[in-house]
PDB file of all heavy atoms in Angstrom:
ATOM      1  N   ALA A 131     -55.053 -36.108  -7.380  1.00 51.00           N
ATOM      2  CA  ALA A 131     -54.968 -35.137  -8.463  1.00 51.00           C
ATOM      3  C   ALA A 131     -54.081 -33.978  -7.994  1.00 51.00           C
ATOM      4  O   ALA A 131     -53.945 -33.754  -6.795  1.00 51.00           O
ATOM      5  CB  ALA A 131     -56.357 -34.636  -8.815  1.00 51.00           C
ATOM      6  N   PRO A 132     -53.439 -33.242  -8.906  1.00 51.00           N
ATOM      7  CA  PRO A 132     -52.550 -32.151  -8.494  1.00 51.00           C
ATOM      8  C   PRO A 132     -53.221 -31.156  -7.565  1.00 51.00           C
ATOM      9  O   PRO A 132     -52.593 -30.666  -6.626  1.00 51.00           O
ATOM     10  CB  PRO A 132     -52.171 -31.494  -9.823  1.00 51.00           C
ATOM     11  CG  PRO A 132     -52.326 -32.561 -10.838  1.00 51.00           C
ATOM     12  CD  PRO A 132     -53.451 -33.435 -10.344  1.00 51.00           C
ATOM     13  N   ALA A 133     -54.497 -30.843  -7.757  1.00 52.00           N
ATOM     14  CA  ALA A 133     -55.188 -29.887  -6.904  1.00 52.00           C
ATOM     15  C   ALA A 133     -55.353 -30.425  -5.486  1.00 52.00           C
ATOM     16  O   ALA A 133     -55.455 -29.643  -4.539  1.00 52.00           O
ATOM     17  CB  ALA A 133     -56.537 -29.530  -7.491  1.00 52.00           C
ATOM     18  N   GLU A 134     -55.358 -31.737  -5.321  1.00 66.00           N
ATOM     19  CA  GLU A 134     -55.556 -32.323  -4.012  1.00 66.00           C
ATOM     20  C   GLU A 134     -54.279 -32.416  -3.190  1.00 66.00           C
ATOM     21  O   GLU A 134     -54.321 -32.766  -2.031  1.00 66.00           O
ATOM     22  CB  GLU A 134     -56.170 -33.729  -4.164  1.00 66.00           C
ATOM     23  CG  GLU A 134     -57.551 -33.697  -4.763  1.00 66.00           C
ATOM     24  CD  GLU A 134     -58.074 -35.083  -5.090  1.00 66.00           C
ATOM     25  OE1 GLU A 134     -57.316 -36.054  -4.893  1.00 66.00           O
ATOM     26  OE2 GLU A 134     -59.203 -35.191  -5.552  1.00 66.00           O
ATOM     27  N   ARG A 135     -53.146 -32.086  -3.791  1.00 76.00           N
ATOM     28  CA  ARG A 135     -51.887 -32.184  -3.069  1.00 76.00           C
ATOM     29  C   ARG A 135     -51.585 -30.937  -2.277  1.00 76.00           C
ATOM     30  O   ARG A 135     -50.637 -30.889  -1.535  1.00 76.00           O
ATOM     31  CB  ARG A 135     -50.735 -32.457  -4.033  1.00 76.00           C
ATOM     32  CG  ARG A 135     -50.826 -33.827  -4.669  1.00 76.00           C
ATOM     33  CD  ARG A 135     -49.616 -34.119  -5.484  1.00 76.00           C
ATOM     34  NE  ARG A 135     -49.674 -33.281  -6.679  1.00 76.00           N
ATOM     35  CZ  ARG A 135     -48.683 -33.114  -7.528  1.00 76.00           C
ATOM     36  NH1 ARG A 135     -47.534 -33.705  -7.318  1.00 76.00           N
ATOM     37  NH2 ARG A 135     -48.820 -32.348  -8.578  1.00 76.00           N
ATOM     38  N   GLY A 136     -52.348 -29.901  -2.433  1.00 80.00           N
ATOM     39  CA  GLY A 136     -52.144 -28.678  -1.687  1.00 80.00           C
ATOM     40  C   GLY A 136     -51.616 -27.569  -2.561  1.00 80.00           C
ATOM     41  O   GLY A 136     -51.120 -27.792  -3.671  1.00 80.00           O
ATOM     42  N   PRO A 137     -51.716 -26.332  -2.081  1.00 81.00           N
ATOM     43  CA  PRO A 137     -51.330 -25.183  -2.897  1.00 81.00           C
ATOM     44  C   PRO A 137     -49.819 -25.080  -3.138  1.00 81.00           C
ATOM     45  O   PRO A 137     -49.408 -24.465  -4.098  1.00 81.00           O
ATOM     46  CB  PRO A 137     -51.829 -23.981  -2.085  1.00 81.00           C
ATOM     47  CG  PRO A 137     -51.909 -24.493  -0.674  1.00 81.00           C
ATOM     48  CD  PRO A 137     -52.238 -25.950  -0.774  1.00 81.00           C
ATOM     49  N   GLY A 138     -49.010 -25.686  -2.321  1.00 84.00           N
ATOM     50  CA  GLY A 138     -47.567 -25.604  -2.493  1.00 84.00           C
ATOM     51  C   GLY A 138     -46.989 -26.627  -3.466  1.00 84.00           C
ATOM     52  O   GLY A 138     -45.809 -26.566  -3.810  1.00 84.00           O
ATOM     53  N   ALA A 139     -47.817 -27.549  -3.923  1.00 84.00           N
ATOM     54  CA  ALA A 139     -47.331 -28.633  -4.795  1.00 84.00           C
ATOM     55  C   ALA A 139     -46.751 -28.092  -6.093  1.00 84.00           C
ATOM     56  O   ALA A 139     -45.799 -28.642  -6.620  1.00 84.00           O
ATOM     57  CB  ALA A 139     -48.447 -29.635  -5.082  1.00 84.00           C
ATOM     58  N   ALA A 140     -47.310 -27.000  -6.599  1.00 84.00           N
ATOM     59  CA  ALA A 140     -46.824 -26.435  -7.851  1.00 84.00           C
ATOM     60  C   ALA A 140     -45.399 -25.893  -7.735  1.00 84.00           C
ATOM     61  O   ALA A 140     -44.693 -25.769  -8.726  1.00 84.00           O
ATOM     62  CB  ALA A 140     -47.757 -25.325  -8.325  1.00 84.00           C
ATOM     63  N   PHE A 141     -44.975 -25.601  -6.519  1.00 89.00           N
ATOM     64  CA  PHE A 141     -43.643 -25.027  -6.315  1.00 89.00           C
ATOM     65  C   PHE A 141     -42.606 -26.057  -5.904  1.00 89.00           C
ATOM     66  O   PHE A 141     -41.441 -25.715  -5.741  1.00 89.00           O
ATOM     67  CB  PHE A 141     -43.726 -23.898  -5.280  1.00 89.00           C
ATOM     68  CG  PHE A 141     -44.632 -22.793  -5.721  1.00 89.00           C
ATOM     69  CD1 PHE A 141     -45.923 -22.686  -5.246  1.00 89.00           C
ATOM     70  CD2 PHE A 141     -44.186 -21.857  -6.649  1.00 89.00           C
ATOM     71  CE1 PHE A 141     -46.756 -21.684  -5.676  1.00 89.00           C
ATOM     72  CE2 PHE A 141     -45.011 -20.858  -7.083  1.00 89.00           C
ATOM     73  CZ  PHE A 141     -46.306 -20.757  -6.610  1.00 89.00           C
ATOM     74  N   HIS A 142     -43.047 -27.295  -5.738  1.00 90.00           N
ATOM     75  CA  HIS A 142     -42.118 -28.357  -5.309  1.00 90.00           C
ATOM     76  C   HIS A 142     -40.971 -28.537  -6.298  1.00 90.00           C
ATOM     77  O   HIS A 142     -39.833 -28.768  -5.877  1.00 90.00           O
ATOM     78  CB  HIS A 142     -42.874 -29.658  -5.103  1.00 90.00           C
ATOM     79  CG  HIS A 142     -42.051 -30.753  -4.530  1.00 90.00           C
ATOM     80  ND1 HIS A 142     -41.550 -30.710  -3.248  1.00 90.00           N
ATOM     81  CD2 HIS A 142     -41.605 -31.903  -5.066  1.00 90.00           C
ATOM     82  CE1 HIS A 142     -40.832 -31.802  -3.030  1.00 90.00           C
ATOM     83  NE2 HIS A 142     -40.855 -32.549  -4.126  1.00 90.00           N
ATOM     84  N   LYS A 143     -41.253 -28.402  -7.578  1.00 91.00           N
ATOM     85  CA  LYS A 143     -40.210 -28.567  -8.591  1.00 91.00           C
ATOM     86  C   LYS A 143     -39.107 -27.505  -8.449  1.00 91.00           C
ATOM     87  O   LYS A 143     -37.942 -27.780  -8.728  1.00 91.00           O
ATOM     88  CB  LYS A 143     -40.779 -28.575  -9.988  1.00 91.00           C
ATOM     89  CG  LYS A 143     -41.504 -27.283 -10.381  1.00 91.00           C
ATOM     90  CD  LYS A 143     -42.141 -27.423 -11.736  1.00 91.00           C
ATOM     91  CE  LYS A 143     -43.010 -26.223 -12.038  1.00 91.00           C
ATOM     92  NZ  LYS A 143     -43.749 -26.417 -13.298  1.00 91.00           N
ATOM     93  N   PHE A 144     -39.453 -26.329  -7.967  1.00 91.00           N
ATOM     94  CA  PHE A 144     -38.433 -25.287  -7.744  1.00 91.00           C
ATOM     95  C   PHE A 144     -37.545 -25.644  -6.567  1.00 91.00           C
ATOM     96  O   PHE A 144     -36.334 -25.413  -6.598  1.00 91.00           O
ATOM     97  CB  PHE A 144     -39.110 -23.926  -7.538  1.00 91.00           C
ATOM     98  CG  PHE A 144     -39.866 -23.459  -8.730  1.00 91.00           C
ATOM     99  CD1 PHE A 144     -41.223 -23.578  -8.788  1.00 91.00           C
ATOM    100  CD2 PHE A 144     -39.191 -22.904  -9.829  1.00 91.00           C
ATOM    101  CE1 PHE A 144     -41.940 -23.155  -9.906  1.00 91.00           C
ATOM    102  CE2 PHE A 144     -39.886 -22.476 -10.928  1.00 91.00           C
ATOM    103  CZ  PHE A 144     -41.272 -22.600 -10.972  1.00 91.00           C
ATOM    104  N   VAL A 145     -38.111 -26.206  -5.531  1.00 92.00           N
ATOM    105  CA  VAL A 145     -37.333 -26.649  -4.365  1.00 92.00           C
ATOM    106  C   VAL A 145     -36.398 -27.767  -4.765  1.00 92.00           C
ATOM    107  O   VAL A 145     -35.199 -27.757  -4.397  1.00 92.00           O
ATOM    108  CB  VAL A 145     -38.272 -27.091  -3.224  1.00 92.00           C
ATOM    109  CG1 VAL A 145     -37.490 -27.705  -2.075  1.00 92.00           C
ATOM    110  CG2 VAL A 145     -39.120 -25.926  -2.741  1.00 92.00           C
TER     111      VAL A 145
END
Side-chain angles (χ1 to χ4, degrees):
E134 295 173 357
R135 292 186 290 169
F141 299 100
H142 186 67
K143 61 185 172 186
F144 296 101
V145 173

